[in-house]
C-alpha cells in the first residue's frame, strides 16, 4: 500500500473543544431530514421516476420525517416537476417541510424559487464549496472570493423569498466543511448568518457536512463543538450535520457530532448515497431507541420498508445491515444459541419490563421481525418456519412457501409417530430420503434435447421397475417436454403448478437445486432435484414428485 502518498487533509480547531467527550449518551433525538430523494437519488444507477419519487416521499412521511429534501429543482425537468406535483396536488402535509438544494448562483436560485411557488413550508438550502483543495484546484479563487459567493447566495435567497408566495426557511452549507480551515469556515458561516438575520421564530440552519469523511470521528466532533460555540446568534441557529461514510464511520461522526452540540441530521435510509454513502438514519434512530430515547421515527416494520426501498431504488439491503438485515438476529454459534434460548425463557418467567437478552440488543419484534435463532427444536408441535429455517440455514435449501407448509405436516407427523424430537440431521435425512433425487420406481438414465419449430424435443431412456423404455415428446420448454413424455407413458394426468431453482453455494462447483410442485387427482405433490447441472436437477425434481405419486398408488 502506498501510504506515503497520503497526508491528513482535515483541520483541527484552533482551540481544543472536548466537552462533548464527557457526555454519556445522546439525551434527545435530533431534527431528522431525509435526503433520500436528492442525495440518495442522484447516487442510484437508475434515478427514480416521478411515480417512484412520490411513493418514496409518502413512505418517508409515514415513517415520520418532518423535513424531506426533495431534490435540486433547477437540475432537471424531472426534479422540477416532482416538486410542482407535490405542491399542486397538495401532497405535502401541513407539518412537513420540503427542502430543496441550490448552488449560490442567481439563475439557479431563480429557477428554484419558481418551482417553490405556493409551497406551504420549505427549506431552501444554498451551498458553495469552501475547502482548501476546491479553492485551489477547482475554482482558483481566494478566501474572500469564496466568502463573497456565499454572501451573495444568501442575499439572493432573501430577495427571491420576498418575491415568491410561500413560507421559506434558509439553510447554508460550506460544502467540504471537513477539508476547510475551521476558522475560515466559521468566518464564512457567520457572514451568511449576518445576511439571513435569523430570529427565534425563524431560525437559520447551518449545515456542517462531512462531504468527504477525512478524520477520526472525535476530530469531527471537536470541529462541530468549536463551530457551535462561536457561531453568531447561536440561539437562533440550528446546526445540522450531513456525514458521508468514506471512512466507514458516518454513524460515529453523527453521534459524536450530536454530543458536540448539533441539532439536526441529514441522512438516508440504509445509508444510500454517493461513494460509500450517507449516514444511515435507521441505524442512528434505532441506536437512540436502544438507549431508551424516542427517535420520533417509526421503524416498527423494517421488512416493509426494505421491500419498498429495494423495489424503488434497485439497491439491496445487506444481510448484515444493522437492525434491518435479514441475518442480524440469527445466531450461528452454539453458545450464542443456548444463551439466547435461556435468555428468552428467563425473560418470560420473570415478566421483565425492559429488554435484556444475551446477544440481542433489541427485540426483533420491535422492528417487525419474528424471533428466530438457530436453536430451533423440531417435534410434532413445530411449525413450518422452524423446519424451513433448519433446512435453509444448516443445509442451504430455500423451500418455496407451499412446499414449506406441506413438508412441515409431513415431518411433524413423523415426529408424532416416533414420539421424539427431531434434530437438524434427522430432518435433513428425512428430506433427502423422501424428496430429493427419488429414483424409484422410475428413473431417467439418459436424455438429450433438440429443437423443432420453436419447440423442444426430448429423447430419453426411462427405467421403470427393471424395464427400459425409450421415449420422445415435445414441449414449450425442456421440462415441459419431459413432463409430456412421462404423462403419456405413465398415463398420469398431472399439472406443474410451480418450479423454482437456486444454487446451494457459490462457485463453479456448486450444486443446483430445483423444486417442483405438481397436482394430481386434486392432491399436491413436491419433488426436489439436486445436481451440478440445473437441467438435470429440474428433471430429477419432476421424477421425484412422480415417484411419490407412484409409491402412494402402489405402482
Amino acid at each position: 500500500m502506498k501510504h506515503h502518498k497520503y497526508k491528513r487533509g482535515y483541520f483541527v480547531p484552533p482551540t481544543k473543544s472536548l466537552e462533548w467527550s464527557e457526555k454519556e449518551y445522546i439525551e434527545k433525538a435530533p431534527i431528522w431530514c431525509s435526503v433520500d430523494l436528492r442525495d440518495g437519488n442522484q447516487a442510484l444507477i437508475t434515478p427514480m421516476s416521478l411515480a417512484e419519487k412520490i411513493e418514496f416521499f409518502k413512505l418517508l412521511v409515514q415513517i415520520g420525517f418532518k423535513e424531506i429534501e426533495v431534490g435540486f429543482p433547477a437540475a432537471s425537468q424531472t426534479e422540477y416537476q416532482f416538486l410542482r406535483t407535490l405542491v399542486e396536488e397538495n401532497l405535502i402535509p401541513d407539518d412537513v417541510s420540503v427542502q430543496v438544494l441550490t448552488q449560490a448562483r442567481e439563475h439557479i436560485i431563480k429557477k428554484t424559487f419558481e418551482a417553490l411557488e405556493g409551497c406551504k413550508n420549505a427549506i431552501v438550502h444554498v451551498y458553495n464549496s469552501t475547502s482548501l483543495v476546491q479553492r485551489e484546484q477547482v475554482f482558483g479563487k481566494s478566501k474572500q472570493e469564496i466568502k463573497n459567493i456565499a454572501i451573495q447566495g444568501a442575499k439572493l435567497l432573501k430577495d427571491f423569498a420576498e418575491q415568491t408566495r410561500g413560507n421559506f426557511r434558509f439553510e447554508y452549507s460550506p460544502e467540504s466543511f471537513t477539508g476547510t480551515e475551521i476558522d475560515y469556515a466559521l468566518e464564512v458561516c457567520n457572514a451568511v448568518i449576518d445576511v439571513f438575520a435569523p430570529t427565534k421564530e425563524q431560525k437559520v440552519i447551518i449545515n456542517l457536512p462531512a462531504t468527504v469523511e477525512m478524520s477520526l470521528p472525535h476530530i469531527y466532533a471537536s470541529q462541530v463543538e468549536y463551530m457551535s460555540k462561536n457561531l453568531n446568534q447561536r440561539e437562533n441557529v440550528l446546526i445540522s450535520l450531513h456525514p458521508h461514510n468514506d471512512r466507514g464511520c458516518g454513524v460515529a461522526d453523527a453521534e459524536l457530532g450530536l454530543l458536540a452540540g448539533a441539532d439536526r441530521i441529514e441522512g438516508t435510509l440504509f445509508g444510500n448515497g454517493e461513494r460509500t454513502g450517507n449516514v444511515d438514519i435507521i441505524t442512528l434512530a434505532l441506536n437512540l431507541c436502544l438507549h431508551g430515547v424516542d427517535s420520533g421515527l417509526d421503524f416498527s416494520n423494517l421488512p416493509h420498508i426494505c421491500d419498498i426501498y429495494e423495489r424503488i431504488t434497485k439497491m439491496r439491503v445487506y444481510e448484515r445491515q444493522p437492525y434491518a438485515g435479514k441475518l442480524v438476529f440469527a445466531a450461528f454459534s452454539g453458545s450464542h444459541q443456548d444463551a439466547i434460548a435461556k435468555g428468552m425463557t428467563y425473560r418470560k418467567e420473570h415478566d421483565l419490563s425492559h429488554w435484556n437478552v444475551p446477544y440481542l440488543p433489541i427485540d426483533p419484534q420491535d422492528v417487525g421481525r419474528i424471533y428466530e435463532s438457530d436453536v430451533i427444536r423440531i417435534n410434532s408441535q413445530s411449525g413450518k418456519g422452524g423446519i424451513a429455517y433448519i433446512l435453509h440455514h444448516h443445509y442451504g435449501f430455500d423451500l418455496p412457501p407451499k412446499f414449506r407448509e406441506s413438508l412441515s405436516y409431513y415431518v411433524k407427523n413423523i415426529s408424532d409417530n416416533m414420539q421424539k424430537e427431531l434434530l437438524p440431521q434427522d430432518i435433513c435425512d428425512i428430506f433427502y430420503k423422501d424428496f430429493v433425487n427419488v429414483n424409484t420406481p422410475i428413473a431417467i438414465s439418459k436424455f438429450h434435447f433438440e429443437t423443432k419449430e420453436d419447440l423442444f424435443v426430448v429423447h430419453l431412456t426411462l427405467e421403470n421397475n427393471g424395464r427400459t423404455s425409450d421415449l420422445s415428446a415435445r414441449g414449450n420448454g425442456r421440462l415441459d417436454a419431459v413432463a409430456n413424455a412421462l404423462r403419456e407413458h405413465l398415463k398420469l394426468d398431472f399439472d406443474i403448478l410451480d418450479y423454482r431453482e437456486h444454487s446451494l453455494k457459490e462457485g463453479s462447483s456448486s450444486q443446483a437445486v430445483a423444486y417442483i410442485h405438481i397436482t394430481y387427482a386434486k392432491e399436491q405433490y413436491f419433488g426436489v432435484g439436486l445436481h451440478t447441472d440445473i437441467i438435470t436437477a429440474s428433471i430429477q425434481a419432476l421424477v421425484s414428485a412422480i415417484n411419490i405419486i407412484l409409491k402412494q398408488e402402489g405402482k
Side-chain angles (χ1 to χ4, degrees):
M1 295 297 296
K2 300 178 180 178
H3 63 280
H4 299 96
K5 69 188 290 185
Y6 302 102
K7 69 173 185 178
R8 292 179 290 278
Y10 57 86
F11 298 90
V12 298
T15 58
K16 286 187 177 181
S17 298
L18 296 173
E19 291 180 13
W20 61 265
S21 64
E22 299 175 1
K23 299 178 182 179
E24 182 182 347
Y25 64 96
I26 300 165
E27 297 181 354
K28 67 175 183 177
I31 300 168
W32 303 105
C33 178
S34 162
V35 295
D36 289 91
L37 294 168
R38 200 278 304 172
D39 211 345
N41 182 59
Q42 77 178 29
L44 299 177
I45 296 174
T46 304
M48 301 177 205
S49 66
L50 178 60
E52 288 171 334
K53 279 196 161 193
I54 291 173
E55 182 181 359
F56 207 109
F57 177 82
K58 291 180 178 179
L59 173 66
L60 294 171
V61 170
Q62 182 182 18
I63 289 170
F65 286 97
K66 301 303 180 184
E67 297 183 1
I68 302 172
E69 190 168 79
V70 296
F72 199 132
S76 71
Q77 185 59 33
T78 300
E79 298 280 282
Y80 186 95
Q81 187 58 45
F82 174 50
L83 178 53
R84 292 311 308 156
T85 300
L86 292 177
V87 174
E88 293 169 7
E89 296 188 10
N90 199 30
L91 297 176
I92 307 169
D94 291 342
D95 62 345
V96 172
S97 296
V98 293
Q99 179 170 302
V100 293
L101 189 68
T102 178
Q103 293 175 332
R105 301 170 67 184
E106 183 172 5
H107 70 285
I108 295 178
I109 293 173
K110 181 176 184 294
K111 184 75 170 179
T112 300
F113 275 94
E114 289 174 2
L116 284 167
E117 176 68 34
C119 187
K120 288 180 287 190
N121 294 293
I123 300 167
V124 187
H125 181 182
V126 65
Y127 74 95
N128 68 308
S129 186
T130 58
S131 71
L132 173 63
V133 170
Q134 297 240 34
R135 294 198 314 267
E136 290 182 346
Q137 300 181 20
V138 180
F139 304 113
K141 292 183 181 297
S142 67
K143 285 183 174 181
Q144 186 61 46
E145 288 173 314
I146 293 295
K147 184 172 78 171
N148 289 342
I149 292 173
I151 293 172
Q152 183 62 23
K155 290 179 178 178
L156 287 169
L157 254 62
K158 291 194 70 175
D159 291 343
F160 279 104
E162 291 175 358
Q163 304 167 28
T164 307
R165 184 168 53 91
N167 181 32
F168 307 112
R169 290 183 287 148
F170 303 130
E171 176 177 352
Y172 172 71
S173 286
E175 191 202 1
S176 300
F177 165 75
T178 48
T180 303
E181 304 91 330
I182 300 303
D183 54 349
Y184 175 61
L186 178 67
E187 179 184 336
V188 173
C189 289
N190 278 336
V192 169
I193 291 170
D194 290 344
V195 172
F196 283 143
T199 64
K200 182 179 180 180
E201 293 74 25
Q202 195 77 355
K203 294 183 178 182
V204 68
I205 299 168
I206 294 296
N207 190 49
L208 305 176
T211 309
V212 179
E213 188 184 33
M214 295 180 170
S215 68
L216 272 69
H218 77 288
I219 296 295
Y220 184 57
S222 295
Q223 294 170 336
V224 171
E225 187 167 271
Y226 178 81
M227 295 290 287
S228 179
K229 287 183 174 182
N230 293 282
L231 282 173
N232 292 346
Q233 301 190 56
R234 178 64 180 92
E235 69 280 7
N236 298 328
V237 173
L238 296 172
I239 292 181
S240 178
L241 306 181
H242 186 114
H244 278 249
N245 201 40
D246 301 89
R247 298 180 73 255
C249 300
V251 168
D253 283 334
E255 292 185 327
L256 297 192
L258 288 172
L259 290 178
D263 308 291
R264 184 176 183 267
I265 293 289
E266 294 185 350
T268 60
L269 302 182
F270 308 106
N272 178 40
E274 293 279 29
R275 306 183 310 279
T276 55
N278 290 52
V279 69
D280 177 5
I281 285 184
I282 293 177
T283 299
L284 285 173
L286 291 174
N287 282 356
L288 286 175
C289 180
L290 181 61
H291 288 166
V293 178
D294 182 8
S295 71
L297 300 177
D298 183 3
F299 294 116
S300 61
N301 193 351
L302 276 181
H304 172 68
I305 295 172
C306 290
D307 289 344
I308 294 178
Y309 171 82
E310 291 186 330
R311 173 170 54 81
I312 290 179
T313 67
K314 311 302 186 294
M315 301 283 284
R316 183 174 69 88
V317 176
Y318 175 48
E319 289 84 353
R320 301 292 183 187
Q321 181 89 7
Y323 301 107
K326 292 180 180 179
L327 296 180
V328 296
F329 300 114
F332 293 93
S333 163
S335 61
H336 289 203
Q337 296 166 12
D338 181 64
I340 291 171
K342 291 177 178 176
M344 292 296 289
T345 299
Y346 182 90
R347 175 176 176 77
K348 183 177 181 180
E349 292 175 347
H350 291 78
D351 193 25
L352 300 181
S353 59
H354 290 90
W355 182 262
N356 188 17
V357 173
Y359 300 111
L360 292 178
I362 71 168
D363 186 346
Q365 295 184 76
D366 287 347
V367 291
R369 300 289 296 277
I370 298 173
Y371 169 70
E372 289 179 339
S373 76
D374 272 359
V375 188
I376 297 177
R377 306 171 71 169
I378 304 301
N379 57 24
S380 61
Q381 302 303 306
S382 300
K384 60 180 179 294
I387 295 167
Y389 187 90
I390 283 177
L391 287 174
H392 178 63
H393 287 275
H394 286 270
Y395 306 105
F397 293 99
D398 190 9
L399 275 60
K402 290 289 186 181
F403 192 10
R404 294 176 196 171
E405 182 175 357
S406 177
L407 183 64
S408 71
Y409 289 114
Y410 187 85
V411 172
K412 286 194 293 183
N413 187 54
I414 292 175
S415 175
D416 195 27
N417 290 333
M418 296 176 66
Q419 296 185 349
K420 61 168 284 189
E421 176 186 351
L422 298 177
L423 300 177
Q425 187 60 55
D426 298 325
I427 296 168
C428 185
D429 291 343
I430 293 169
F431 182 68
Y432 269 87
K433 174 178 174 291
D434 295 343
F435 294 92
V436 180
N437 293 354
V438 181
N439 285 320
T440 57
I442 69 167
I444 294 177
S445 57
K446 57 184 179 180
F447 63 87
H448 70 277
F449 296 92
E450 59 182 355
T451 56
K452 290 183 179 180
E453 302 175 349
D454 296 327
L455 295 174
F456 285 90
V457 179
V458 66
H459 302 283
L460 61 84
T461 299
L462 181 71
E463 307 290 339
N464 187 350
N465 288 318
R467 298 188 302 273
T468 300
S469 302
D470 293 323
L471 311 178
S472 296
R474 295 187 178 194
N476 293 324
R478 291 181 176 88
L479 188 60
D480 187 45
V482 174
N484 288 335
L486 296 178
R487 282 192 191 97
E488 182 178 351
H489 181 77
L490 299 172
K491 308 303 180 186
L492 290 177
D493 187 19
F494 63 86
D495 291 311
I496 299 177
L497 296 184
D498 191 23
Y499 168 80
R500 304 190 188 190
E501 63 187 45
H502 66 80
S503 176
L504 278 186
K505 63 178 181 178
E506 296 181 355
S508 58
S509 62
S510 65
Q511 285 189 300
V513 59
Y515 309 96
I516 201 158
H517 177 188
I518 67 176
T519 181
Y520 170 73
K522 298 183 179 181
E523 297 292 327
Q524 300 183 70
Y525 299 87
F526 300 84
V528 182
L530 193 61
H531 198 274
T532 54
D533 173 63
I534 187 57
I535 302 302
T536 303
S538 66
I539 294 173
Q540 288 278 26
L542 177 60
V543 169
S544 295
I546 291 174
N547 275 326
I548 293 171
I549 296 174
L550 295 175
K551 288 179 180 179
Q552 182 173 300
E553 299 210 336
K555 295 182 180 180

